Amino acid sequence: MNRIIYHRKLIKLFAWLLAILICFGGVFVYLSLSGFDGGYQEQLSRGNDKLAENDLEGALKHFEKAIKASPTNAEAYLLAAETCYSLGRMDDAISILESYTEKRLRTPAVYDRLLGYYKESGATAEKQISLLNLAIQIFGDSTYADQLAEIRAQMKNVPVPELSSPGGEYEQPLSVSVTNFAEGDTVYYTTDGSNPSSSAKTAKLYDGKAIKIGKGLTTLKIMRIDSAGNVSHTVEHIYQVGDVSNIKTDTSVVAATGNNTVGGGASVVVDGVTYYSSAKNSHSIYRLGEDGTSELVSSEEAYYLSEYKGQLYFVNASDGNAIYRINTDGSQLKRVCPDAAGMMQMANGTIFYQNKSDNSNLYSVKADGSDKKLIVTDKVTQFNVVNGTVFYKNDTASDALYSVLADGSNKRALLEDRASCINYYGDKIYYINLSDGGKIYSVSFDGNVRSPVTTVAVSEFNVYDGSIYYRGSSDKGIFRTDLTGGDTVRLTSDDGGKFSISGEYLYYTNYSDSSNLYRISLDGTGRTKLD
């Protein structure tokens, strides 16, 4: 009896503690929003009071505090942006609203206001198109689709600037002129890879005089505004001036795991045995036995699995995304590089990685942790290492496709297309062309021959042994097609992605089943759940 009474008292005590915690939680949320401590509602109210006093700077400070207190509330963003606009700070107004749309939050008024600012400030048509595409994805509103069609139609009607000498390789410096410059035209250009517009700080106004192209690599981007204010497409010309005959590729420096790490490196084969990162089990590393059973190798949270000389290399989220290695039996776990890494690839004893500790610049380091090098100062979140060349998505240049040699030399802009999911096969790079609705394209290593591959949009893909395995964007499922986009078959109706191909199997994250890890044979048979 005494034990029963004791348990009842214990239950009441826990109930009281739970009630107190709930109350404190409610008070915290209330204070955060209602503002007894200067939270969201209080800051919003103070900002409006300052507006009434015509103290715009004071109002802006309170609206910015309101955004920090409630980062998903659209009203504070709109008020802060409108205040910046009234202060004549258009760039700041745009930046505030862009910080909202980057979160993909759902308030149409923000997108409408930002689009208005873009138009008023003379933002590039590409920038307006990007915002409209995002709004269409989020809201599915025909109004945005109509505006997008209108902008594209206007751009088609405005001829792009034509140059006296197109991009290419030249032995000596040269000067280029616009050959179709007409009275009333306004032409802007840049030579640093950024997009030109009437408001871009790096843009130069073409005055009819020749544009000088010096030695080395120059990316010239140029656009036209006609007398009616209509804007053309921006065109890109890439000039390599000087001797390029000594540029060599190193065929030994190739990503060890092929295209797998582009999809997150969920699996890798070492001496015929498959090792994988289990999403269900906090991305711990498991060994897959011949009988289909799994054995824990390491409880570290592992991403971008790679292999070198029989050891596993990976980005360890359990230690701030540092790069680690471990024996396949789970022994000798060692930190190789302390930098916070994003994407990582191993290529013949050299690790290439996105260094989040240094603005996501691209770095390399030897497998033993020595000889760390900065390769390129662009923000790089996706890349692939092929024959001593790194092909990468340049986030600093609107996601354009670039290349650079593994030693950091001969950086080149290959395409202006917004690129994603960079794969390679044979003598071509394959990528998702976000500038053309997400279709797969191919391009030669020198960037001169570019071709569409699929007629449908894809979300992710992996090229392996002459076939492309992809996740459909609208038609969900995993498909296989050939390198020309023909002979397409559906392998499974699972909505799968983050592909990794090891041996005879395709490994994928099954979004249809709580993101558990699955595998199927490359012909679509033998579907097996691993997690």
Side-chain angles (χ1 to χ4, degrees):
M1 180 62 71
N2 288 336
R3 182 174 296 177
I4 292 173
I5 293 172
Y6 171 76
H7 280 304
R8 285 177 178 173
K9 289 182 177 180
L10 195 60
I11 290 171
K12 287 182 179 179
L13 177 61
F14 277 121
W16 276 106
L17 287 173
L18 181 60
I20 291 170
L21 286 173
I22 291 173
C23 287
F24 272 115
V27 168
F28 175 78
V29 172
Y30 177 79
L31 289 177
S32 201
L33 293 174
S34 64
F36 289 157
D37 61 346
Y40 175 75
Q41 291 292 353
E42 179 66 17
Q43 294 298 340
L44 213 61
S45 177
R46 291 178 183 176
N48 283 320
D49 289 343
K50 291 293 183 182
L51 280 182
E53 299 169 4
N54 203 30
D55 181 2
L56 299 183
E57 292 288 357
L60 180 59
K61 290 179 181 178
H62 289 297
F63 293 144
E64 289 174 339
K65 289 180 180 179
I67 290 173
K68 289 181 180 179
S70 182
T72 60
N73 196 306
E75 186 179 5
Y77 288 88
L78 288 166
L79 287 168
E82 190 65 27
T83 304
C84 285
Y85 178 82
S86 298
L87 287 165
R89 291 157 51 181
M90 176 65 87
D91 288 348
D92 290 338
I94 288 174
S95 178
I96 288 169
L97 296 186
E98 284 179 340
S99 70
Y100 181 91
T101 58
E102 286 170 0
K103 299 180 178 69
R104 300 178 68 90
L105 298 173
R106 300 176 60 86
T107 302
V110 175
Y111 294 80
D112 294 341
R113 184 75 57 82
L114 180 55
L115 185 62
Y117 286 163
Y118 278 169
K119 291 178 179 178
E120 185 174 338
S121 64
T124 62
E126 285 82 2
K127 202 164 191 177
Q128 297 179 48
I129 287 171
S130 178
L131 178 63
L132 286 167
N133 277 326
L134 178 60
I136 291 168
Q137 291 174 19
I138 294 174
F139 304 111
D141 192 328
S142 61
T143 303
Y144 295 117
D146 292 342
Q147 292 182 65
L148 179 60
E150 183 180 342
I151 292 175
R152 291 193 184 280
Q154 289 175 354
M155 294 174 74
K156 287 181 180 178
N157 294 329
V158 182
V160 298
E162 296 176 2
L163 301 182
S164 56
S165 299
E169 295 179 355
Y170 295 84
E171 293 183 359
Q172 299 295 331
L174 65 154
S175 297
V176 297
S177 302
V178 177
T179 59
N180 60 343
F181 189 75
E183 186 176 352
D185 281 353
T186 305
V187 174
Y188 292 94
Y189 70 95
T190 62
T191 54
D192 63 354
S194 61
N195 288 317
S197 71
S198 59
S199 61
K201 295 179 180 178
T202 56
K204 300 174 183 177
L205 179 65
Y206 179 73
D207 57 5
K209 297 179 181 178
I211 302 169
K212 297 186 182 300
I213 307 295
K215 285 190 174 183
L217 177 71
T218 299
T219 300
L220 172 63
K221 291 187 177 183
I222 190 164
M223 52 81 72
R224 174 204 304 272
I225 304 174
D226 67 14
S227 57
N230 298 315
V231 183
S232 76
H233 288 285
T234 296
V235 290
E236 177 183 84
H237 293 263
I238 301 169
Y239 298 87
Q240 179 69 54
V241 180
D243 183 12
V244 296
S245 61
N246 62 343
I247 297 174
K248 300 178 181 180
T249 58
D250 184 351
T251 55
S252 68
V253 183
V254 180
T257 51
N259 297 313
N260 287 347
T261 47
V262 176
S267 70
V268 64
V269 173
V270 183
D271 296 329
V273 179
T274 297
Y275 297 81
Y276 69 93
S277 171
S278 172
K280 181 180 179 180
N281 297 291
S282 302
H283 289 278
S284 298
I285 302 174
Y286 282 78
R287 179 190 304 110
L288 186 63
E290 293 183 2
D291 59 357
T293 60
S294 299
E295 180 183 359
L296 178 67
V297 174
S298 171
S299 58
E300 303 298 315
E301 187 177 352
Y303 298 87
Y304 297 103
L305 286 175
S306 294
E307 179 269 341
Y308 181 65
K309 290 188 175 180
Q311 289 186 306
L312 299 174
Y313 286 75
F314 59 96
V315 173
N316 190 351
S318 302
D319 184 22
N321 291 333
I323 298 172
Y324 271 66
R325 73 174 181 227
I326 191 172
N327 289 339
T328 54
D329 63 2
S331 64
Q332 297 187 23
L333 176 70
K334 183 177 180 180
R335 185 166 68 175
V336 175
C337 177
D339 293 337
M343 183 180 171
M344 180 199 83
Q345 277 192 341
M346 170 67 76
N348 195 35
T350 299
I351 300 167
F352 295 82
Y353 65 100
Q354 169 196 355
N355 189 350
K356 291 184 176 181
S357 299
D358 186 17
N359 300 312
S360 288
N361 293 331
L362 185 66
Y363 274 70
S364 68
V365 66
K366 295 297 184 184
D368 61 3
S370 64
D371 196 23
K372 185 174 82 170
K373 294 179 180 178
L374 170 65
I375 298 176
V376 68
T377 55
D378 298 323
K379 182 179 180 182
V380 179
T381 56
Q382 293 182 22
F383 61 90
N384 216 322
V385 184
V386 189
N387 296 342
T389 299
V390 184
F391 295 87
Y392 66 95
K393 178 172 78 76
N394 189 342
D395 297 54
T396 308
S398 302
D399 301 334
L401 183 62
Y402 275 59
S403 70
V404 65
L405 294 185
D407 62 4
S409 65
N410 196 40
K411 172 184 165 182
R412 301 183 65 189
L414 298 183
L415 294 172
E416 190 178 26
D417 294 340
R418 292 181 58 229
S420 178
C421 200
I422 300 166
N423 280 238
Y424 74 91
Y425 186 77
D427 59 356
K428 293 181 180 179
I429 293 296
Y430 293 80
Y431 64 99
I432 294 176
N433 187 350
L434 298 175
S435 300
D436 188 21
K439 300 182 183 74
I440 297 176
Y441 273 60
S442 69
V443 64
S444 56
F445 286 168
D446 60 9
N448 290 331
V449 183
R450 164 183 171 273
S451 303
V453 176
T454 63
T455 57
V456 297
V458 309
S459 301
E460 307 169 52
F461 75 99
N462 189 310
V463 185
Y464 178 80
D465 196 23
S467 294
I468 299 173
Y469 300 82
Y470 70 84
R471 176 193 180 203
S473 289
S474 56
D475 188 9
K476 298 301 183 185
I478 300 176
F479 299 81
R480 184 187 66 221
T481 190
D482 63 29
L483 297 177
T484 64
D487 195 23
T488 302
V489 295
R490 185 195 296 267
L491 300 181
T492 174
S493 58
D494 290 342
D495 183 17
K498 297 183 179 178
F499 301 130
S500 181
I501 299 177
S502 299
E504 300 176 354
Y505 294 99
L506 168 68
Y507 295 80
Y508 62 96
T509 296
N510 191 346
Y511 304 120
S512 304
D513 184 20
S514 303
S515 294
N516 287 315
L517 186 67
Y518 277 64
R519 79 173 185 186
I520 54 174
S521 297
L522 297 182
D523 62 3
T525 61
R527 175 178 174 272
T528 305
K529 182 177 180 178
L530 299 180
D531 276 340

